Amino acid sequence: DGYGVIWQKWHLRIGFTPREGLAIHNTGYEDQGRVRPIVYRASLSDMVVPYGDPSKDHYRKNAFDAGEYGIGTLANSLTLGCDCLGEIHYFDAVMNDGRGGVVTIPNAVCLHEEDYGILWKHSDWRTGQTEVRRSRRLVVSSISTVGNYEYGFFWYFYQDGTIQLEVKLAVIVNTAAVPAGETPKYGTLVAPQLHAHIHQHFFNFRLDMSVDGEDNSVCEVNTVSEPIGPDNPHGNAFFAEATLFKTELEAQRVIDPMSGRYWMVSNPSVTNALGQPVSYKLMPGDNILPFAHPSASIIKRAGFMTKHLWVTPYDPDEITATGPYPNQHPGGAGLPEYTAAGRNIENTDLVLWYTLGYHHVPRPEDWPVSPVAYCGFMLKPVGFFDTNPVLDVPPSAHHNGACHA
């Protein structure tokens, strides 16, 4: 309905801006006859690509692909059967040119659904009965070309209430010539006398949360081992420990895969059937931190890279992780500046900012054009529902209405 979408139990709206590109608004899930809000607005906030070669020709390569170039203005017109498959609905993006005129990018956003394997399954060896359901997901995607890189931003909405963001990176690697017989230190030899530079991509996603309303809080969950003692005589015990963040300074965090770390957004004023606060958790995928020295210009200008999680109270002027003018600022703008006051983030309208880092040490297989690489994160319900929300998905109609081996 225009830019509004209803699919399965999902409700959302499609948006698009010149700087951010694709934005998802008013995301909610219909549960027991009521659309329950989850994320008010989700979008790419900014991104930067720091290169690791210190030579005079390459040390300046630290492009802000959203804040400087405008990743939305560089969106592709997507093509049926190439960028998207299946039953497709396209959305055009309308924006301005340098003189204020209207520019339309046809088919800037692709909407389709696709099969995603098994949704749930169980085989009962006592009765020989098997129940299995197929999973489908809604895909909302946009692809932009920035110089030598294509960036695909894919938002997936699953039937079980999961939201996933996946970045797909396609590239013709940035190269430089080297003398015959020389092994490059800050890159990889990909062809005779040609090396591709080591570099990173950092994306920051702004998630204006609204988990069953605006009064939300954030905690960090780590799994810890129980010390040997009366409560753990056999040495096997471990448990998940939650720590509540009260201020935005406390909520500047990095990932820790060895503790199973994730971050949970809860609404303390709304409980499920078990009396637990309804929640959604942010689950990191592969990630990394920058290798640039703290004194480097790029660290000052893109301070958001130094933390994977930032949390702020909602402020309509705080839209981008690098501030409004990253190409005209000496450093310190954006998230470091927003959070300096240490504002309260308990039981309030809050915003999660998640930094996603992709580390690219080029390979010969990346030449002359690289296979697509993937990175991303997930938002998953935790006690948001009283039980599995997809028990009502009907079986696939195969072999007289049942799935058989």
Side-chain angles (χ1 to χ4, degrees):
D1 181 11
Y3 285 83
V5 176
I6 299 174
W7 178 83
Q8 299 281 302
K9 298 176 182 178
W10 286 104
H11 293 240
L12 54 99
R13 293 187 64 82
I14 306 299
F16 205 92
T17 75
R19 176 166 175 162
E20 304 162 297
L22 177 60
I24 309 294
H25 300 256
N26 301 111
T27 301
Y29 190 100
E30 188 173 338
D31 180 32
Q32 301 179 29
R34 180 173 69 91
V35 179
R36 302 172 63 190
I38 301 168
V39 186
Y40 181 72
R41 190 179 189 274
S43 67
L44 173 71
S45 160
D46 211 333
M47 60 170 293
V48 68
V49 188
Y51 277 76
D53 190 327
S55 64
K56 64 182 179 66
D57 295 322
H58 304 292
Y59 79 93
R60 301 185 307 272
K61 293 178 179 176
N62 301 298
F64 291 81
D65 290 343
E68 289 182 330
Y69 288 93
I71 206 159
T73 63
L74 300 173
N76 298 174
S77 291
L78 303 175
T79 307
L80 180 64
C82 297
D83 300 300
C84 308
L85 292 175
E87 188 72 20
I88 307 296
H89 181 85
Y90 290 107
F91 298 89
D92 296 343
V94 181
M95 54 193 67
N96 300 104
D97 63 18
R99 296 180 177 271
V102 177
V103 175
T104 299
I105 302 177
N107 298 358
V109 177
C110 173
L111 176 79
H112 73 285
E113 65 173 85
E114 59 191 21
D115 181 86
Y116 196 66
I118 295 174
L119 178 63
W120 59 266
K121 176 177 181 174
H122 183 63
S123 296
D124 192 324
W125 61 271
R126 297 174 181 84
T127 65
Q129 183 178 0
T130 296
E131 291 285 348
V132 61
R133 300 294 186 270
R134 297 293 298 179
S135 174
R136 297 192 71 76
R137 65 182 183 182
L138 182 71
V139 187
V140 184
S141 62
S142 180
I143 302 172
S144 294
T145 301
V146 188
N148 60 316
Y149 257 95
E150 264 76 28
Y151 298 103
F153 299 95
F154 286 69
W155 291 93
Y156 299 117
F157 298 87
Y158 295 85
Q159 292 160 298
D160 67 353
T162 297
I163 302 170
Q164 180 184 7
L165 180 281
E166 184 174 69
V167 181
K168 300 184 181 183
L169 302 93
V171 60
I172 296 177
V173 289
N174 193 44
T175 57
V178 293
E182 181 176 309
T183 299
K185 181 177 182 179
Y186 303 105
T188 304
L189 202 65
V190 294
Q193 294 184 247
L194 192 69
H195 90 278
H197 305 101
I198 188 170
H199 62 282
Q200 298 179 292
H201 300 257
F202 286 95
F203 308 84
N204 185 271
F205 290 90
R206 181 181 180 274
L207 307 171
D208 185 350
M209 302 300 295
S210 182
V211 177
D212 248 348
E214 292 184 351
D215 293 334
N216 290 173
S217 296
V218 182
C219 66
E220 179 175 284
V221 181
N222 293 283
T223 296
V224 298
S225 297
E226 182 76 48
I228 294 280
D231 293 334
N232 185 25
H234 306 292
N236 68 305
F238 54 96
F239 61 96
E241 182 176 63
T243 303
L244 177 69
F245 296 139
K246 296 184 178 182
T247 72
E248 52 192 341
L249 294 177
E250 294 176 2
Q252 297 177 11
R253 305 294 293 166
V254 299
I255 64 167
D256 183 0
M258 295 302 100
S259 71
R261 178 172 296 171
Y262 59 87
W263 298 287
M264 193 157 62
V265 182
S266 302
N267 189 329
S269 62
V270 182
T271 57
N272 59 21
L274 300 173
Q276 305 160 337
V278 296
S279 305
Y280 256 77
K281 66 177 178 178
L282 171 57
M283 296 180 60
D286 291 344
N287 213 330
I288 200 164
L289 287 169
F291 286 89
H293 190 270
S295 65
S297 170
I298 188 58
I299 296 293
K300 296 176 182 178
R301 297 179 63 218
F304 74 85
M305 294 190 298
T306 62
K307 305 294 180 183
H308 294 123
L309 180 76
W310 304 73
V311 183
T312 61
Y314 172 76
D315 185 317
D317 294 327
E318 296 176 1
I319 300 298
T320 63
T322 53
Y325 307 111
N327 59 336
Q328 298 175 359
H329 201 283
L335 281 168
E337 187 174 76
Y338 302 157
T339 58
R343 295 168 296 184
N344 171 63
I345 55 170
E346 244 190 310
N347 299 344
T348 191
D349 185 3
L350 54 80
V351 177
L352 265 61
W353 309 73
Y354 182 68
T355 302
L356 171 62
Y358 176 74
H359 190 67
H360 192 178
V361 181
R363 309 168 297 157
E365 290 86 350
D366 290 330
W367 180 259
V369 59
S370 174
V372 170
Y374 305 86
C375 56
F377 63 88
M378 284 189 175
L379 292 168
K380 294 184 74 72
V382 180
F384 189 79
F385 303 106
D386 292 337
T387 186
N388 184 346
V390 289
L391 295 177
D392 59 348
V393 174
S396 302
H398 298 294
H399 303 290
N400 298 322
C403 292
H404 297 282

